[in-house]
Amino acid sequence: MFSKVLVANRGEIALRVMRACRDLGVRTVAVYSDADKHAGHVRYADEAYNVGPARAADSYLDHEAVIEAGRKAGADAVHPGYGFLAENAEFARKVEESELTWIGPSADAMERLGEKTKARALMQEADVPVVPGTTEPVESAEEVKQIAEEYGYPVAIKAEGGGGGRGLKVVRSEDEVEEQFETAQREGEAYFDNASVYVEKYLEAPRHVEVQILADEHGNVRHLGERDCSLQRRHQKVIEEAPSPALDADLRERIGEAARRGVREADYTNAGTVEFLVEDGEFYFMEVNTRIQVEHTATEEVTGIDVVKWQLRVAAGDELDFAQEDVEIDGHAIEYRINAEDAANDFAPATGSLETYDPPGGIGVRVDDAVRQGDEIGGDYDSMIAKLIVSAGDREECLARSERALSEFEIEGIQTIVPFHRLMLTDEAFRAGEHTTKYLDEELDRERIDQAVEKWGSADTVATADADGESDETDAEEVTEREFIVEVNGKRFEVNLEERGAPPMPEVEAISNGGGAGGQGAQATRSRPEEATSEDDEVVIEGEGEQVAAEMQGTILSVEVEEGEEVAAGDVVCVLEAMKMENDIVTERGGTVTQVLVEEGDSADMGDVLVVLE
Ligand code: MV4
């Protein structure tokens, strides 16, 4: 095994990889940009190296800077995580040619699978079903028309270097061919530096099902079952689950074996994912992702196999120590991506500070993150701040547990898509497991998302926007919402009070020194929310009758009234000693004493009800 691994990534996946390293007794090296000096992955690593400015192209994507950090640290291997350099064959080759080991498939295997027509031809060779279409690039719009005649419209024109929906054009009739052919070429050139395109029959409403693979350098290839990632928004996965609710046992067996044959044909090693489209009980190869994926955790939860640990072991030359028959799918797991985005505003990235960050726990709940309360979430990188993975004995139980876990997830100070996830748990199509890849973009009613955000979005300190939608320091009205813990007759209530540009609530100190209920002004108003989170901040609200309460913590020196007695406004009911001073506790309105809750010598907490009147 390696003794020191450089993790060329940030965020939760960097931490995930470092945890696997620690489990194996391997030391960890982080790289970070100027924006990430205090980031979670840096805090966790044994040592960390700055690789450049915030802009990813100048830091996390800088081949030489990353490799140089590995050299300086004396690391013996590089784990790329996902995104950034993970699927860059050129970088993988540079690592292979350095004194470092690349923790991933060989640069050759990455290249074999990176070009889509090559990958399709390779899969056909291995008897893996592919979507009907070409296994060579097409050269002209005329050629596209001929192929479309053969399969029938619609067809998809795809960029050779494509993936993740970029460079994918759907053509529904002959007169659209010319334009879409040229657009696909242009996009291919722009995104992947490769203008080649090819053609497939277009499937209208498939499901996205992908198979997790592990392969070692001794010829062993195992599949760890499939995940269903059909719930996507503009090609971004939002919720993933294992196993797929869309497969029966027979299809599951066949798709898993097909994936194994495919990667064997590609001489593939390490972890990888074979993506398929599934429609009408048939499956079709799409592409291979030559990296660890965000959603690998769902597979880990149902198989009990640590995929990242095996990436390290396999790269170090170890042999997979389990047979295919040893892989058992036990129960169900669903992963919810916790993105800092405003679901009600077209999932626009949100920035801010994590004023509250209190993730759920308990049985069946796993949270992978690299943030903690107080962290700033800037807009420099991916909006995913955490993943919640819920597992249970079956899908039904998993959905119920998900409701529990998502409702426990407390995040304030920044918008996340937790409300969207809670909506999905009320959604018939999702609950039934019948959603396709079209569902989010084309079928779900936007208004339901707005309502979910309204209902479950976090209470927060907000500045109301002006009519023009802009808000600024000078003329935005401050609306401060404070949460109070209130006890009424010994029962605990949470009360949210909204304060609009009003003078702040009277301070306890202000009462005890006799008036001057706090100055007006924005400074005092802003300072309140922090105090409101304190456990001690208990006040009493008035019910039907008057409740006379202790205004501060102290000792009851004397009780001046008894039950049944009539008292007037301003009468003394108790004397409370606090901070070496005697304080008269007086009624505000007066009435008949119905309850005396304390006696001489008792101690009282601030907010405790002492006497109740009617
Ligand atoms: C398709 C398809 C239907 N038919 N190919 C989108 C991303 C890229 N990986 C491939 N994609 C698709 N290819 C054929 N022949 C539908 C999609 C597709 C899709 C696939 C998986 C998950 C979500 C999707 C959303 C829209 C379209």
Side-chain angles (χ1 to χ4, degrees):
M1 181 43 61
F2 311 114
S3 49
K4 198 189 263 193
V5 167
L6 179 136
V7 181
N9 215 299
R10 65 182 303 284
E12 67 85 22
I13 193 60
L15 216 67
R16 169 71 192 88
V17 172
M18 290 179 197
R19 285 189 164 126
C21 291
R22 288 241 174 120
D23 283 349
L24 289 165
V26 174
R27 276 170 297 151
T28 56
V29 183
V31 291
Y32 64 96
S33 73
D34 291 346
D36 274 345
K37 282 183 183 146
H38 309 287
H41 73 289
V42 176
R43 296 193 290 249
Y44 191 90
D46 295 321
E47 52 189 305
Y49 293 81
N50 185 309
V51 286
R55 204 170 77 103
D58 302 326
S59 49
Y60 293 108
L61 291 172
D62 184 332
H63 299 192
E64 276 64 41
V66 171
I67 291 172
E68 182 54 27
R71 259 195 215 109
K72 271 197 257 176
D76 23 45
V78 175
H79 193 302
Y82 53 68
F84 294 125
L85 297 167
E87 295 196 82
N88 188 315
E90 187 189 321
F91 178 69
R93 199 175 300 285
K94 284 182 192 164
V95 173
E96 284 173 356
E97 287 167 0
S98 77
E99 62 272 38
L100 301 162
T101 300
W102 171 250
I103 302 173
S106 68
D108 284 346
M110 289 169 76
E111 275 168 0
R112 275 195 285 281
L113 296 165
E115 284 192 32
K116 304 304 167 201
T117 55
K118 279 196 210 165
R120 281 165 59 79
L122 186 148
M123 290 296 156
Q124 277 191 320
E125 205 55 43
D127 231 358
V128 176
V130 301
V131 189
T134 68
T135 46
E136 297 280 335
V138 292
E139 305 295 340
S140 67
E142 267 321 301
E143 208 181 322
V144 176
K145 286 180 192 169
Q146 279 169 25
I147 296 158
E149 288 294 302
E150 189 183 338
Y151 300 123
Y153 288 95
V155 294
I157 306 179
K158 297 186 172 187
E160 176 77 295
R166 291 193 301 180
L168 166 74
K169 295 287 142 204
V170 181
V171 182
R172 300 200 170 272
S173 63
E174 191 178 316
D175 53 314
E176 294 174 6
V177 168
E178 219 111 351
E179 191 187 332
Q180 299 293 55
F181 175 72
E182 281 163 25
T183 307
Q185 283 187 318
R186 270 202 313 277
E187 289 189 4
E189 179 67 39
Y191 294 138
F192 315 110
D193 214 12
N194 184 347
S196 292
V197 299
Y198 66 103
V199 179
E200 287 178 3
K201 169 82 193 142
Y202 183 72
L203 308 179
E204 287 286 3
R207 293 185 71 113
H208 174 127
V209 177
E210 58 183 35
V211 178
Q212 178 69 54
I213 288 288
L214 275 173
D216 66 22
E217 290 166 359
H218 307 272
N220 301 301
V221 180
R222 309 284 179 256
H223 79 79
L224 307 186
E226 84 287 355
R227 296 181 287 260
D228 195 305
C229 311
S230 299
L231 205 80
Q232 304 199 3
R233 188 189 161 274
R234 306 211 183 139
H235 304 293
Q236 295 295 313
K237 294 165 188 166
V238 185
I239 298 177
E240 307 98 339
E241 59 185 303
S244 168
L247 302 192
D248 60 21
D250 175 62
L251 199 54
R252 176 163 296 124
E253 166 76 14
R254 287 194 288 131
I255 203 169
E257 288 307 318
R260 286 179 85 192
R261 287 197 303 278
V263 302
R264 210 184 272 286
E265 184 77 26
D267 253 326
Y268 192 91
T269 55
N270 215 278
T273 299
V274 187
E275 286 187 7
F276 296 92
L277 296 181
V278 174
E279 196 175 74
D280 300 329
E282 302 285 338
F283 65 90
Y284 308 92
F285 167 78
M286 291 288 302
E287 53 195 70
V288 179
N289 298 139
T290 58
R291 59 168 194 272
I292 189 77
Q293 285 184 289
V294 174
E295 61 270 24
H296 74 277
T297 55
T299 298
E300 290 184 328
E301 294 306 307
V302 295
T303 60
I305 295 171
D306 182 334
V307 177
V308 178
K309 198 159 154 184
W310 276 113
Q311 285 195 286
L312 292 155
R313 284 187 170 158
V314 160
D318 289 2
E319 194 167 349
L320 292 168
D321 72 352
F322 55 91
Q324 187 60 54
E325 310 87 78
D326 298 334
V327 179
E328 277 177 48
I329 307 301
D330 185 10
H332 202 89
I334 306 180
E335 176 181 272
Y336 303 87
R337 297 191 184 198
I338 309 301
N339 297 345
E341 292 169 0
D342 180 2
N345 183 20
D346 221 10
F347 290 76
T351 58
S353 95
L354 282 174
E355 278 159 25
T356 304
Y357 182 76
D358 196 358
I363 188 168
V365 174
R366 166 176 174 180
V367 176
D368 276 22
D369 60 21
V371 296
R372 64 184 180 191
Q373 186 158 301
D375 279 0
E376 281 294 323
I377 308 299
D380 290 306
Y381 310 105
D382 192 277
S383 61
M384 194 180 76
I385 58 168
K387 309 187 299 203
L388 166 65
I389 307 100
V390 180
S391 44
D394 57 32
R395 193 169 189 270
E396 196 60 28
E397 189 187 16
C398 194
L399 292 172
R401 186 168 282 166
S402 298
E403 280 174 29
R404 189 265 292 174
L406 283 163
S407 69
E408 282 177 13
F409 216 137
E410 263 192 67
I411 302 175
E412 289 177 305
I414 189 163
Q415 297 248 49
T416 73
I417 61 170
V418 166
F420 169 81
H421 291 314
R422 296 182 72 175
L423 169 67
M424 292 320 295
L425 291 175
T426 70
D427 183 81
E428 265 180 57
F430 179 74
R431 288 196 73 94
E434 285 166 356
H435 54 288
T436 72
T437 49
K438 297 231 138 147
Y439 189 68
L440 259 194
D441 287 326
E442 294 178 30
E443 289 163 35
L444 183 70
D445 185 355
R446 302 291 101 178
E447 216 161 283
R448 291 178 60 205
I449 300 180
D450 295 349
Q451 286 161 1
V453 171
E454 183 84 3
K455 184 167 174 189
W456 289 305
S458 65
D460 198 0
T461 301
V462 290
T464 52
D466 298 336
D468 61 4
E470 299 282 310
S471 85
D472 59 56
E473 296 259 327
T474 48
D475 60 358
E477 184 191 8
E478 285 272 336
V479 178
T480 304
E481 196 169 90
R482 300 176 60 194
E483 185 188 272
F484 289 88
I485 307 303
V486 172
E487 276 183 21
V488 179
N489 292 341
K491 180 164 185 196
R492 185 180 183 281
F493 294 88
E494 289 178 7
V495 179
N496 289 311
L497 297 182
E498 201 181 79
E499 189 176 41
R500 272 175 197 274
M505 301 293 290
E507 308 256 356
V508 170
E509 291 77 6
I511 297 166
S512 65
N513 61 27
Q520 232 165 320
Q523 200 55 47
T525 309
R526 280 203 205 95
S527 72
R528 297 297 298 180
E530 281 157 36
E531 293 168 29
T533 60
S534 154
E535 278 291 321
D536 301 332
D537 208 354
E538 295 182 3
V539 299
V540 169
I541 53 164
E542 289 169 12
E544 301 266 299
E546 182 178 352
Q547 301 178 349
V548 187
E551 292 162 343
M552 66 206 86
Q553 193 271 324
T555 306
I556 304 295
L557 281 184
S558 67
V559 179
E560 306 290 332
V561 294
E562 27 184 62
E563 284 182 18
E565 199 178 321
E566 292 283 330
V567 290
D571 280 358
V572 177
V573 296
C574 296
V575 179
L576 180 84
E577 192 217 73
M579 296 185 289
K580 301 204 168 70
M581 280 173 55
E582 293 184 14
N583 298 271
D584 288 343
I585 308 297
V586 300
T587 66
E588 199 180 303
R589 288 181 306 201
T592 308
V593 177
T594 55
Q595 271 180 292
V596 177
L597 299 164
V598 287
E599 54 188 36
E600 200 178 302
D602 282 357
S603 65
D605 276 341
M606 180 175 63
D608 281 358
V609 177
L610 310 174
V611 171
V612 184
L613 310 175
E614 204 175 276

